[in-house]
Each structure stands twice: as C-alpha cells, then as structure tokens.
Amino acid sequence: MAEPVAASPAFPFGLAALSRLDARQKLMALAMVALAVALLIGAWLWTREPPYGVLFSNLSDQDGGQIVAALQQQNIPYKISEGGGAILVPVGQVHEARLKLASQGLPKGGLVGFELMENQKLGISQFAEQINYQRGLEGELARSIQALGAVRAARVHLAIPKQTAFLRDDLKPSASVLVSLQPGRTLEPAQIAGIVHLVSSSVPQLSPANVSVIDQDGKLISQRLDGFRNDNLNPSQLGYVREVEAQYVKRIETILEPLLGKGNFRTQVAAEIDFSQVEQVEESYQPNPNPRTAIRSQQTSESGAGNPPALGVPGALTNQPPVPATAPITTPPVAGATAAGGAAAGNYTRNATINYELDKTVRHTRATPGAVKRLSVAVAVNHKRPLDKDGKPGKAVPPSAEELKRINDLVRESIGFDEKRGDTINVAAANFVQAEPEAIPELPLWKDPALIGFVREMLPYLGFILVALFVWIKLVKPVIEMFKAAAVAEKAASEENLATEPSVGGEAPLGPHPPTLDERLQKARELAQQEPKLVAEMVKEWMGAGT
C-alpha cells in the first residue's frame, strides 16, 4: 500500500491534506479560490481603466455620428453617456481629441449651409426656394464667423424684405449676429468691425449700420464702434496713438533707468495726434523786376470819321513815313507832326495797349496724417533711501531741486520738446507706497487641490488594496486554514502509526520521518529470520482476522 505524501511546512497544501478533505470541502475550497482570483483580476482592471471626461455635449445627431466615426478612425476610446447627451473620452485625451476634431471642422454645430440647395425637390415653390437660400446663407455666414479663434459658436439671422417696384415701400435688409465666445476671450474692435463688414458685404443693399452683434450675455458689442465713429477715429488710428505713446514712454525709461534704478519712477505720456488730411493749393503774383520785363500782348487801334487829309508841310517832311502812334499823356508830341487844319485831325483816335508778364507762384501742399500736435508728459520720482552704517536702507529723502531739474532736462531732450506746439512736462517727487502682499487665506488640508488630486489618483489603488485584503481575510485565509488543519491531522496520524509499530532487534522506533517501502520489506525479512515463530503467529492472526 502506497503511503500518502505529507505536506511540508512551507507548502501546507499537500496531496495528503487534500485527500483528507471530503467532496463538499474540496468544492468549497475551489469556489473560494476562483472567487478570489476573479475579484483580484476585476479590481486590477478597474484600477487600470482611466477616468473619462466630457468631450462634447448637447450635440446634434449628425455631429454626434461624425465625431464617433472620427474617433473610431483615430483609435480613440470613447463612451456615450446615458441618453446620448455627451461623448466621453479618457481625461488625458480630451484636449488632444478636441484639437484633432477641430482640424476636421467638427462639430459643425448643426449649421446648414448651401448644401441645403443640393437637395431641392422638383416643383418647389418660389417662397420655399427663397427660404432655403436664406437658411443656407445664414449657415455659411455663421461658419465663417466661427472660424475666428475667440468665437466658439455663432448664429446669424437675416431679415431680407421682399423686393418691390415701388420706391416708397422699399425696405432695407438688416441682420443680427449672436456670437458665443470662448471662456476668457473677447473680441477686439477690429474683429467686431470685420464681422459687421463680412455680413453687410454678403447681403445686397445691407448697410453696416443695420448689422447688430451681441455676445452670449446679451450685450450689444457692435455699439463699441460708435465712439470711434463720433471721434472720427477707427481702431487702427487708436492703436497708432497707443503705439506713439508707448514709444515716448520707452525713450524716457531708457534714459532714466540707469540713473534712478528700475521701479524708482513712473512715466505716463498723453499724445494728441492729428489725423486730418489737408490739401492746399496757393497761387501768388508779383511784378517782374525791370531786367526780366517781358511783353505778354500788345494791341493798337485807330478810328476816324473820314479819310484823313495829308499831314505835314509839303516837302521832305511830307514824304517821310508816319510817326508811330503814341499816347499824348505819356509821350510828348513829335516835332513836325502837328496837324494842319485842326478840324480834320480831331476826328481820329489812336490807342495802344501793352500787357506785361507777371511772376506767378503755385504751391500744392498736402499734410501727412499722424503728426504729433501736442505731448503731455508726467514723471513721478521715488524718494531715495540712503544706506546707513549697517548697510540697511535708511529714512526716505526726497530728491533735490537740482536733481529734479536735471531729470526734467533729460526728459525734454528725449521726447523732442517743442514749446510752440504746446508740449508740457511735469516732474514730481513722491514717496512710493509699497504694496503689501495680498494675504491669501490658508485652505484647510481637506480642501487642498493638490491633496484632492493625489487622493483621486490613489483612490483606485486604495480600492484594489481593500479588495485584496477582503479576499485574503474572507476567502484565501479560510482555505489555507482548512488545508493546514488537514495537514496537521495527517501528520498526527502518521506519528501515531509510527508509535504503535513494534521495534526490531531492540532498536528504537523510527523518528518523525517514516521508513520507505524497501526499508520495511528488509525489516520484515530480518524479523522472519530472527523470530520465525512470532511471524507464524502473526500470519495465523491475519488469516483468522480475514476469515
């Protein structure tokens, strides 16, 4: 008969201990081991699964289907919340997934563009066709506005009146734009003007004044442009003014910082810029000087009642050519030119007109906009704190009048001070007040964000440890105790058998380790040779017990 294998102290689940268990105990042990393994594997998998965060919510069915298809294509795990109101992805991939989907234009926000016109049915009415066109135009404008980085979503509503042939009933179209901005983002005036111009340019006869833009809080943000219109300034001109002021401030800081030290002075510059565009044409006339006299035109006229008689004394003078006509006021009479028969000579009139050129000057002047009309500069200088004997800052001492004058002169030179245009500079000394650091209230330990984040990260592992502890106490440990009890019982039975076994040749019984089968056969042979009668009696007893 083969002897069962005893369990070792290191591994008490020997075959002998297992064989001493009944069928119910074996089945219970296997079930508990299987349950323990399942719980451990489930707890480990639970700790390995990352937490999920909301990728998008309140999506239309069309956008939801496109986003799910894109996630499957990119091998990004996702979940759909109960009711299909949100799409969840692992927290570590939320921002990456949003960027990837945004590059594909998802989600589109349920906007319908001009693709609505592709499914026009045959026989559709003109009214329905106009409505579809208006819906498509609104969707395309909304998509264009959503392309701005600060805009999360946009809606465009167009009010296009029906065209009429009567001018009295002619109404102009209008538009309203609702923009939902990204958290912490705002629209610059130039961006608002761009939205207004985009919408007004896309609809015929739509004036920019009839376009209203509001944000998600219901504030009319398009009215910000009214101030610029009233001042005849646009956002670019206002930005130019700020840039000019910043340049002057930088000049002053560059020259004062090495002298006073950083943080020991403050500078502000107010610049008045002339953006008017002036064109001037000037003409001036002056008489030419005598050496450069030039005749522009000359005219001579002569009139009379009849043929003039012969003039002069018969002879040589009469045969001479006539004397040039001259004005009697300016030119003295020529000798021998006195008319004979005064009645006939008085009927004739001779006039001469001479026009001289004048010195003409034409000036065409055009002023460039953006010139500085006036500068106002204010500089505040901090009091000095000289070091005492111990090298620590002492009592504050205001700068002297000479130092202030030197600072004033340096500022005048750095900005190009011009008294004719009305520039002003004010340099004053003041003891700067040191801003006390804002006291941050101490958060209790249980509200510490770092601690809360650490607990959230360690919570899955803590849960796994608790599950493993429960499995050990309630499932594994009872099985081990059961096997230990069976092993102890097996060991006690073996020792009892060895204690009752007779000694051979006066030798003491074997120790705690039982002999092998060959050793027992050898002992039996030796016993039969030494005590044949005793062996015969034992055989008779076995045969009698068997019968």
Side-chain angles (χ1 to χ4, degrees), residues 73 125 155 204 232 240 247-248 270 273 277 330 417 435 441 475 544:
Q73 185 178 3
S125 63
R155 292 289 302 274
N232 295 325
Y240 176 75
Q247 290 179 354
Y248 281 109
I273 307 299
Q277 298 181 359
T330 59
F417 182 83
L475 299 178

Side-chain angles (χ1 to χ4, degrees), residues 104-186:
Q104 301 179 10
L106 296 175
K108 298 180 179 178
L111 298 175
V112 179
F114 281 130
E115 64 270 10
L116 185 64
M117 307 295 294
E118 298 176 357
N119 300 323
Q120 293 282 1
K121 297 181 180 179
L122 185 63
I124 189 173
S125 63
Q126 184 179 3
F127 176 77
E129 184 178 356
Q130 182 65 26
I131 291 298
N132 290 338
Y133 171 75
Q134 183 171 338
R135 287 181 58 195
L137 182 58
E138 291 175 350
E140 293 294 337
L141 289 174
R143 290 177 180 175
S144 300
I145 296 174
Q146 286 181 0
L148 297 177
V151 179
R152 181 177 60 183
R155 292 289 302 274
V156 178
H157 303 279
L158 300 177
I160 303 177
K162 186 178 180 181
Q163 295 181 357
T164 177
F166 300 97
L167 297 178
R168 181 178 299 176
D169 299 334
D170 188 14
L171 300 176
K172 300 298 182 181
S174 60
S176 300
V177 181
L178 172 64
V179 291
S180 179
L181 304 179
Q182 299 286 356
R185 301 289 297 275
T186 57

Side-chain angles (χ1 to χ4, degrees), residues 55-68 70 87 94 97-112 142-143 146-147 151-154 182:
L55 179 63
F56 293 110
S57 60
N58 299 326
L59 295 172
S60 62
D61 295 339
Q62 181 179 2
D63 283 345
Q66 293 179 355
I67 290 175
V68 169
I87 298 178
V94 170
R98 286 179 181 174
L99 293 176
K100 290 182 178 179
L101 294 175
S103 63
Q104 301 179 10
L106 296 175
K108 298 180 179 178
L111 298 175
V112 179
R143 290 177 180 175
Q146 286 181 0
V151 179
R152 181 177 60 183
Q182 299 286 356

